[in-house]
Amino acid sequence: MTLDAEGKNVTARAGLNGQAPRCDHVDLLPAVEPGSPECKECLALGRTWTRLLVCLTCGWVACNDDSHGGHARAHYQETDHPVVAALDPGSTWRWCYVHRRTV
């Protein structure tokens, strides 16, 4: 049996062939509609952004870490909402802040 840092059994959730364990946060996500395609914090500060992310827990839209503000990460730190997705049309990219990897 393999334990994680919190002493929980991670053997049961390990991926196949040495893959990273499955992110259980993805299974808990509600269906949400993204907010307006803009970072409200950046707009209030008169800044631009490079990419927008949408919180898959509440639909909040904010700029990514490559933007000057990094407001999507700040939203995670304030709310503990773990998974975001790129707001780009057709994108399937998602990031889990808890596991620090794409999911």
Side-chain angles (χ1 to χ4, degrees):
M1 173 170 50
T2 304
L3 302 178
D4 65 9
E6 297 174 354
K8 295 179 184 175
N9 180 358
V10 295
T11 305
R13 41 176 217 197
L16 300 174
N17 299 322
Q19 295 173 351
R22 175 162 171 70
C23 174
D24 296 332
H25 300 111
V26 173
D27 297 332
L28 304 173
L29 295 172
V32 296
E33 288 293 321
S36 300
E38 60 193 19
C39 179
K40 292 182 186 341
E41 287 90 351
C42 283
L43 286 176
L45 296 168
R47 296 180 180 162
T48 59
W49 51 83
T50 57
R51 188 175 189 197
L52 293 173
L53 304 177
V54 58
C55 173
L56 295 181
T57 300
C58 69
W60 183 255
V61 175
C63 63
N64 70 341
D65 288 350
D66 291 336
S67 300
H68 190 72
H71 294 115
R73 179 176 300 277
H75 176 73
Y76 160 67
Q77 291 169 337
E78 292 171 10
T79 64
D80 288 329
H81 293 170
V83 183
V84 292
L87 198 59
D88 306 329
S91 176
T92 59
W93 182 88
R94 296 182 301 188
W95 178 263
C96 177
Y97 285 110
V98 175
H99 291 109
R100 290 176 275 167
R101 63 179 171 89
T102 56
V103 292

